[in-house]
Amino acid sequence: MEQPATAGRATRPSGEEPEALETLVGASLTARVTLDELGTVTGWNAGAERLLGYSAGQLTGRRAADLLAEPIPVRGGLPTLAGLPRWNGDVALRHRDGRKLTVRILAHHRPPGADAPAWLIVSALTDRQPPAGLDESLVSWSFAQSPCCAQAIYDTRLRLRRANAGMERATALREEEMRGLRASEIVDDDAGLRTERGMARVLRTGEPEYAENYLRAPGEDHEHAWSVFVSALRDDEGTIQGVCLSAHDMTEQFWARKRLQLIAEAGRHIGSTLDVTRTAQELADVTVPALADFAGVDLLTALDDGPEPPVRAVPADGPLLLRRAALRSVTPGAPESVVAAGAVGAYPPGSAPFESLRTGRPAVHEVTDTAFTAWLARDPARAARVRAFGIHSVMAVPLVARGSTLGVGFFVRHRNQEPFQQDDLVLAGELAARAAVSIDNARRYTRERAAAVTLQRSLLPQRLPRQAAVEVASRYLPAGGHAGVGGDWFDVIPLSGARVALVVGDVVGHGLVASATMGRLRTAVRTLADIDLPCDELLTHLDDLVARLNTEEESAGERTAPGSAEASGDVGATCLYAVYDPVTRRCCFAGAGHPLPAVVSPGGTVDLVALPAAPPLGLGGLPYESTEVDLPEGSLLALYTNGLIETPERDLDTGLHRLRKALARPAGSLDALCDTVLADLLPQRPADDVALLIARTRALDARQVATWSVPSEPSAVAQTRKDVVAQLERWGLSDAAFVTELVVSELVTNAIRHAQPPVQLRLIRDTSLICEVSDGGSTAPHLRRARTYDEGGRGLLLVAQLTQRWGTRQSATGKTIWAEQTLSPA
């Protein structure tokens, strides 16, 4: 007998007893022999004993080759067999009684190391034949009763001859009712006609065909997806005698594939933008008509004003307020919607959205459900829509992201007569989860971007200061495609002597870091401008500041893990600084890697001011140079950042050409000119931040300026006071004579006593009265508090108390001390 440990039995069905299975299959009906790798017999069953006459005890341990009556007909013999995973064929064996038997065997070779004999050799015994005709009956029964597919046989005229039970179920007809009919007559739609055309091609070519059909049998409430194979039936001579059609019901696989496709579609389309409403609409668009006939996406109204979703999304009592963010319907105009897009709907306790958000779980509702009918009874408008459109199945799915409830998705079927199933609910939940994360991202982005815009606008000038040197207009546009704003800025800074400084700068990058850096640089520019540094020196100091900021950023980066959100990069910036003097009508420019300013003459000619090439701020080691230009009164200055002239679709030269054309166009005001420039040069959503500053120059009339050269003698102070009083009387400013006389006396006296000649006095009458005393010294005065018995030290303090502001500025030949008084309205 075969040894149990090496019998090599096949895996048995779970729960089937080994003895019962052996009895059922009749183990002795097969000769089974097992061998080791050396060809020694290790197992011998009763079937093998019946076949060759040897008992297990006689052959176990002997070489199997001793049983061969002839060599095995394999090229190379047994060594070749040892390398095969399986072998089958006829073998001549010697019976115990000496006669030769030709036996058909099947030999399985097990892989090395397997816990089983190396070879399993089997051969079916042929002394017990099944009842006559059983094989043909089994074939007929298998065709008629096949549970795995619907089958039909057609003759060469494509008339049905046989159909199995599966085909009868698929068509809801019995075989005798279909026999003799064509496929297009049995199935009266496009699927039947396509199948018949495919069978005609099979008859003509002999090649099998595959197709997918979608049918709904009479009396069924849903459509089936069928995988259809059509093949030719040939006789023994190879002549085609008919066609066999096999159709497998792939409905579940079809809908699983459709759901996967819908999820993939959602992944591509939902969340394409950082806009809450657009993202909600993308969810509605993806689900209609693939999943529902109508979809509405409602968000909590608490999100309209609050920065975060409420802790309790559903009120303890009272209605739930939801704003309809998006909707989509198979019917144009979505007439089945009770709540219009953008409107707020109130949902009472017991309604589908209310209960879905209360439980936090998606749910399917039939309109005949008790809870649903109770809701409709309290909402006549909704009940009327349900009746009018034949709505029969509804899903409510909460939109939850990162633990926060944002709203609910509402899905309806009325054209599709199949109600929502559990698989549909799972799919809707998956799509809603994806959309909720995208909506939450968009909401967070909107909030953060609003904070960044607020920060940057707070750092920019809220209103441009009043001054007489120029008339100005400005525009600032944050980038349309970035998660925040950038570091572009502009400024208008009044300077002493009725002059004005115009500044435009651009910090590399976007977001809060760029905005904060911009604020630091703008503050630094105002501070440096307040001490009246020349243009080139101001940029040099600003360059040093940016270099120090880079050092700070590098130190912060060393303390921060690489790639983390807090890791910082280098600070980079460009800047253009201009100072215009309305007395001399000269403008000084200095740039640091910034686009060139444009000057529009009163006649309309547009030119770019040629500035010396200079690196951006922060590189250090290279000097900055300034350029002075004479500007006729009424000239226009245009200062801007590179976002105005450079876009991904346009190069720099083209942008400058369009800018010059836009500036040359007549405009009713500077504000109108700013709008014209932006409209001509920028797309709907600019890719970079844009700052634009346009100034029209004014000039002070010579009659508004009086200048005296003062001898370096103390006696000259008295005459100077008289000249000043006389000039104020000519200007009609006698009320300011007392204070001005004191200021002039103090400043001129200090210049004569403590400075070097030449000494010059200048009065400028503008919106204020400016007194300037220039000398050849370089030492700047400073305030100090005089002690009780000091004879001096109170003059400059007195000047500071009597005037609105005062200060000093250096020049190439010395310094100028100035004081400014506010003039009373006439």
Side-chain angles (χ1 to χ4, degrees):
M1 292 298 291
E2 186 179 14
Q3 298 177 8
T6 58
R9 296 188 179 93
T11 303
R12 301 180 181 87
S14 177
E16 187 73 40
E17 292 296 333
E19 296 78 4
L21 182 61
E22 294 294 336
T23 302
L24 174 65
V25 300
S28 62
L29 296 179
T30 304
R32 293 168 60 95
V33 179
T34 59
L35 311 177
D36 60 16
E37 285 289 358
L38 299 178
T40 303
V41 177
T42 59
W44 188 271
N45 77 338
E49 182 176 354
R50 289 176 50 212
L51 179 65
L52 296 179
Y54 295 99
S55 66
Q58 291 174 317
L59 282 184
T60 300
R62 293 179 56 184
R63 295 174 62 251
D66 296 342
L67 298 174
L68 294 177
E70 296 176 358
I72 296 177
V74 176
R75 184 179 301 174
L78 288 176
T80 302
L81 285 176
L84 297 177
R86 192 183 70 179
W87 185 87
N88 62 288
D90 293 339
V91 177
L93 301 176
R94 186 69 63 185
H95 194 274
R96 182 182 178 187
D97 59 13
R99 54 193 171 91
K100 185 176 73 173
L101 298 177
T102 299
V103 180
R104 178 161 294 175
I105 69 170
L106 175 63
H108 299 279
H109 192 186
R110 273 72 177 274
D115 187 20
W119 286 90
L120 169 64
I121 302 174
V122 296
S123 177
L125 301 184
T126 58
D127 57 342
R128 295 188 181 182
Q129 298 294 332
L134 178 60
D135 291 347
E136 290 73 14
S137 298
L138 289 174
V139 171
S140 176
W141 295 334
S142 67
F143 170 81
Q145 303 173 23
S146 174
C148 62
C149 66
Q151 287 186 304
I153 297 175
Y154 293 81
D155 59 22
T156 55
R157 304 300 296 272
L158 301 184
R159 302 286 175 166
L160 186 138
R161 311 314 306 172
R162 293 291 307 272
N164 71 350
M167 184 62 71
E168 291 178 334
R169 290 191 298 270
T171 59
L173 294 168
R174 297 193 306 275
E175 182 187 66
E176 55 266 24
E177 294 171 330
M178 295 184 286
R179 187 175 294 120
L181 296 178
R182 299 163 50 189
S184 59
E185 295 169 340
I186 298 172
V187 177
D188 186 24
D189 64 10
D190 290 342
L193 185 58
R194 288 195 304 271
T195 301
E196 190 171 66
R197 290 171 178 169
M199 289 192 294
R201 285 191 296 270
V202 170
L203 284 179
R204 185 173 63 254
T205 64
E207 297 295 327
E209 289 211 1
Y210 170 79
E212 289 186 1
N213 290 332
Y214 309 97
L215 298 173
R216 177 181 297 172
E220 289 192 330
D221 59 356
H222 67 279
E223 196 173 54
H224 289 265
W226 295 95
S227 176
V228 180
F229 293 87
V230 181
S231 57
L233 297 176
R234 290 179 169 87
D235 58 18
D236 294 340
E237 286 75 27
T239 303
I240 297 177
Q241 299 293 345
V243 174
C244 178
L245 182 149
S246 299
H248 295 261
D249 190 346
M250 307 293 290
T251 304
E252 292 300 323
Q253 296 88 328
F254 170 78
W255 283 113
R257 187 174 62 192
K258 294 287 287 183
R259 293 184 183 100
L260 289 176
Q261 290 175 346
L262 188 56
I263 291 174
E265 188 81 3
R268 289 192 298 269
H269 292 90
I270 296 177
S272 62
T273 65
L274 287 171
D275 180 84
V276 172
T277 303
R278 178 59 192 162
T279 303
Q281 187 62 52
E282 288 166 348
L283 171 60
D285 293 343
V286 164
T287 54
V288 176
L291 178 63
D293 298 323
F294 170 82
V297 181
D298 297 344
L299 301 180
L300 296 172
T301 55
L303 298 178
D304 295 346
D305 303 320
E308 291 291 341
V311 177
R312 186 181 182 88
V314 179
D317 53 358
L320 171 67
L321 299 181
L322 296 172
R323 184 177 301 279
R324 179 61 51 86
L327 55 85
R328 180 70 182 270
S329 172
V330 294
T331 307
E336 61 267 62
S337 178
V338 178
V339 181
V344 175
Y347 297 92
S351 62
F354 189 101
E355 295 304 317
S356 179
L357 290 188
R358 184 183 64 81
T359 61
R361 295 190 299 270
V364 175
H365 304 272
E366 303 299 324
V367 296
T368 56
D369 294 345
T370 303
F372 204 90
T373 55
W375 175 31
L376 295 181
R378 291 176 288 170
D379 193 339
R382 194 176 304 273
R385 296 289 206 289
V386 170
R387 290 191 299 269
F389 292 94
I391 295 172
H392 59 86
S393 189
V394 173
M395 283 192 302
V397 183
L399 300 174
V400 180
R402 301 180 179 95
S404 299
T405 301
L406 307 176
V408 64
F410 199 66
F411 306 96
V412 169
R413 278 184 180 175
H414 53 79
R415 182 176 296 180
N416 186 342
Q417 294 305 309
E418 185 175 355
F420 287 119
Q421 305 295 329
Q422 184 63 32
D423 288 343
D424 299 317
L425 191 63
V426 172
L427 175 60
E430 174 67 22
L431 298 179
R434 288 172 177 255
V437 172
S438 297
I439 290 173
D440 190 52
N441 289 340
R443 182 186 62 81
R444 291 171 182 266
Y445 161 78
T446 301
R447 182 188 63 191
E448 296 300 329
R449 188 174 190 277
V453 170
T454 301
L455 170 63
Q456 179 151 19
R457 294 198 181 280
S458 68
L459 296 174
L460 292 173
Q462 301 304 304
R463 63 175 66 88
L464 298 179
R466 294 183 58 188
Q467 36 72 45
V470 292
E471 175 192 359
V472 293
S474 63
R475 293 292 185 273
Y476 169 75
L477 294 178
H482 290 281
V485 293
D488 291 18
W489 91 92
F490 63 89
D491 211 344
V492 177
I493 308 171
L495 301 178
S496 63
R499 298 170 304 137
V500 65
L502 306 175
V503 192
V504 170
D506 184 0
V507 175
V508 176
H510 296 85
L512 291 174
V513 173
S515 295
T517 303
M518 176 272 288
R520 298 171 76 173
L521 294 184
R522 177 173 177 256
T523 301
V525 170
R526 294 187 70 89
T527 302
L528 295 172
D530 191 57
I531 60 176
D532 262 324
L533 287 179
C535 297
D536 50 355
E537 289 188 28
L538 182 141
L539 289 185
T540 300
H541 284 280
L542 201 61
D543 179 61
D544 293 338
L545 171 62
V546 175
R548 287 195 298 273
L549 291 178
N550 280 329
T551 302
E552 294 176 5
E553 295 294 340
E554 291 174 2
S555 300
E558 293 175 357
R559 297 190 300 268
T560 307
S564 66
E566 292 80 8
S568 302
D570 290 342
V571 176
T574 65
C575 184
L576 180 65
Y577 185 73
V579 175
Y580 173 68
D581 188 342
V583 177
T584 63
R585 300 179 180 84
R586 291 183 66 80
C587 188
C588 175
F589 296 95
H594 201 82
L596 298 177
V599 176
V600 185
S601 68
T605 304
V606 182
D607 295 304
L608 298 178
V609 179
L611 300 182
L617 300 172
L619 298 183
L622 295 175
Y624 294 97
E625 300 178 36
S626 59
T627 299
E628 289 195 1
V629 177
D630 290 321
L631 296 179
E633 183 178 6
S635 299
L636 293 182
L637 286 175
L639 284 66
Y640 50 90
T641 54
N642 64 344
L644 181 66
I645 56 175
E646 293 185 71
T647 66
E649 301 81 18
R650 184 178 66 218
D651 59 23
L652 178 61
D653 292 338
T654 302
L656 289 173
H657 176 70
R658 293 182 61 176
L659 173 62
R660 296 174 70 167
K661 287 182 62 177
L663 290 173
R665 190 174 303 169
S669 64
L670 293 185
D671 282 318
L673 182 58
C674 286
D675 293 336
T676 299
V677 170
L678 296 183
D680 286 356
L681 273 78
L682 294 182
Q684 185 71 23
R685 294 174 64 86
D688 196 6
D689 306 304
V690 175
L692 173 63
L693 181 64
I694 297 180
R696 177 180 284 117
T697 63
R698 295 170 177 162
L700 293 182
D701 191 273
R703 292 170 296 182
Q704 295 178 262
V705 181
T707 305
W708 298 271
S709 295
V710 181
S712 297
E713 300 175 359
S715 59
V717 176
Q719 182 59 42
T720 301
R721 290 201 300 266
K722 292 179 182 179
D723 294 339
V724 168
V725 172
Q727 183 63 49
L728 293 179
E729 290 177 351
R730 287 193 292 271
W731 282 343
L733 299 177
S734 299
D735 291 344
F738 177 73
V739 173
T740 305
E741 195 173 358
L742 289 176
V743 171
V744 167
S745 178
E746 176 60 27
L747 297 184
V748 171
T749 299
N750 283 345
I752 293 174
R753 286 182 178 179
H754 306 294
Q756 301 174 5
V759 178
Q760 185 186 69
L761 170 64
R762 184 170 73 165
L763 292 182
I764 301 174
R765 177 176 64 84
D766 190 21
T767 54
S768 60
L769 180 62
I770 302 169
C771 175
E772 296 182 342
V773 175
S774 303
D775 58 59
S778 59
T779 303
H782 62 277
L783 286 175
R784 64 186 179 89
R785 186 173 297 278
R787 293 186 293 270
T788 304
Y789 298 104
D790 286 349
E791 295 181 359
R794 298 177 178 85
L796 201 54
L797 180 60
L798 183 62
V799 170
Q801 296 295 320
L802 293 176
T803 59
Q804 183 182 9
R805 59 193 187 113
W806 75 279
T808 180
R809 64 176 182 269
Q810 300 290 330
S811 66
T813 58
K815 68 176 182 297
T816 299
I817 304 174
W818 56 271
E820 184 176 325
Q821 303 175 56
T822 301
L823 296 178
S824 301

